[in-house]
């Protein structure tokens, strides 16, 4: 009985490990060479702003751009990835109050990634090489990732993601918590947790699965697609 129990536990652990490394089928077929540009208006006590994302198919894969502008804060992110969402490289620049800036460059390889961040005005460089055999979700992919997943009621996804705030790897979870209609569009209500905390996304069920609305409970910021 003891031998059988040990074998059963080993098989269970093997199955759990296999499940943990399995990736869902990413649907990027809807992304074309003509860039899709979505513009959002965000509102919060800290100040209102604009949020814009763009994605297009190129000969190198998929190019994704993110631009955020709020009072005293701007953030621009670019990332390129394969059509299976495997990241290849990304760049980002954050400027706070026109004085403090943070510029990050990240490149990926089959066994991990390299990230370097320059902080100004201190001219400090933070550099790190991280190893991972799993898919690592880059920070440039965050607004796009859920749009490519096979969403359905109670669906749950787990990934390893890059935290550019301290150049480390951490878990990212995405789960469907309901279904609601926003702006007369049938949506899945999706909870996402990553290095920026919790965000609730309303993602349209049909079409290109656009993100229609985002709520960030920690900051109270609400971001909605401008039609």
């Amino acid at each position: 009985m003891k031998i059988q129990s040990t074998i059963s536990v080993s098989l269970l652990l093997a199955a759990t490990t296999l499940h943990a490394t399995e990736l869902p089928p990413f649907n990027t077929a809807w992304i074309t060479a003509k860039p899709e540009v979505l513009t959002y208006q965000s509102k919060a006590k800290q100040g209102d702003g604009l949020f814009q994302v763009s994605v297009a198919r190129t000969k190198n894969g998929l190019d994704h751009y993110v631009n955020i502008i709020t009072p005293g804060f701007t953030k621009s992110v670019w990332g390129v990835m394969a059509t299976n969402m495997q990241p290849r490289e990304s760049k980002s620049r954050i400027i706070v109050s026109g004085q403090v800036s943070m510029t990050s460059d990240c490149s990926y390889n089959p066994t991990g990634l390299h990230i370097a961040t320059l902080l100004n005005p201190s001219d400090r460089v933070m550099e790190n090489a991280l190893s991972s055999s799993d898919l690592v979700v880059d920070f440039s992919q965050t607004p796009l990732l859920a749009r490519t997943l096979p969403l359905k009621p109670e669906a749950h996804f787990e990934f390893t993601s890059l935290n550019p705030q301290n150049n480390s790897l951490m878990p990212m979870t995405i789960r469907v918590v309901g279904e609601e209609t926003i702006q007369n569009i049938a949506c899945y209500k999706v909870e996402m947790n990553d290095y920026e905390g919790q965000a609730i996304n309303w993602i349209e069920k049909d079409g290109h699965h656009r993100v229609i609305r985002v709520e960030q409970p920690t900051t109270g910021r609400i971001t909605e697609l401008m039609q």
Side-chain angles (χ1 to χ4, degrees):
M1 291 295 292
K2 185 176 181 180
I3 293 176
Q4 290 178 342
S5 176
T6 302
I7 293 174
S8 298
V9 170
S10 298
L11 289 174
L12 178 60
L13 289 173
T16 302
T17 302
L18 177 62
H19 177 73
T21 57
E22 285 181 347
L23 290 175
F26 297 106
N27 176 19
T28 60
W30 55 270
I31 302 174
T32 66
K34 180 180 179 181
E36 178 205 59
V37 180
L38 301 176
T39 302
Y40 298 80
Q41 184 176 33
S42 68
K43 296 183 177 182
K45 290 182 179 179
Q46 304 93 324
D48 299 345
L50 291 175
F51 178 90
Q52 192 170 67
V53 295
S54 173
V55 63
R57 186 179 298 268
T58 70
K59 63 180 181 180
N60 296 320
L62 306 175
D63 274 27
H64 193 237
Y65 295 84
V66 180
N67 290 295
I68 301 172
I69 301 174
T70 60
F73 177 88
T74 62
K75 179 178 180 179
S76 296
V77 181
W78 166 80
V80 62
M81 65 209 78
T83 54
N84 65 353
M85 296 298 286
Q86 179 68 49
R88 291 176 175 165
E89 63 175 311
S90 66
K91 299 179 184 294
S92 74
R93 185 168 190 186
I94 296 173
I95 300 176
V96 181
S97 299
Q99 298 176 353
V100 179
S101 69
M102 182 172 72
T103 304
S104 297
D105 288 90
C106 190
S107 60
Y108 291 80
N109 58 63
T111 60
L113 63 99
H114 175 269
I115 182 170
T117 301
L118 172 64
L119 296 173
N120 276 316
S122 63
D123 202 30
R124 177 188 172 196
V125 176
M126 296 186 300
E127 195 169 3
N128 203 3
L130 303 172
S131 298
S132 178
S133 58
D134 295 330
L135 169 74
V136 175
V137 176
D138 185 80
F139 49 84
S140 67
Q141 298 175 288
T142 302
L144 178 64
L145 182 63
R147 300 179 62 190
T148 70
L149 294 174
L151 301 180
K152 62 181 181 180
E154 299 182 0
H156 180 86
F157 308 93
E158 295 185 10
F159 300 97
T160 298
S161 67
L162 174 62
N163 181 349
Q165 295 177 341
N166 56 17
N167 293 354
S168 67
L169 300 179
M170 65 173 294
M172 167 190 277
T173 61
I174 299 174
R175 65 188 185 101
V176 179
V177 296
E179 301 174 64
E180 292 182 6
T181 299
I182 299 290
Q183 296 187 16
N184 295 319
I185 299 171
C187 297
Y188 287 116
K189 185 178 180 181
V190 179
E191 180 185 274
M192 179 182 295
N193 287 278
D194 64 2
Y195 74 93
E196 292 187 307
Q198 183 191 62
I200 309 299
N201 296 255
W202 282 261
I203 301 175
E204 69 175 345
K205 295 182 178 181
D206 301 320
H208 290 182
H209 311 294
R210 298 170 301 169
V211 178
I212 307 301
R213 179 184 173 100
V214 181
E215 291 186 5
Q216 296 168 281
T218 302
T219 62
R221 185 167 295 279
I222 297 175
T223 304
E224 288 205 70
L225 177 66
M226 298 173 65
Q227 299 282 13

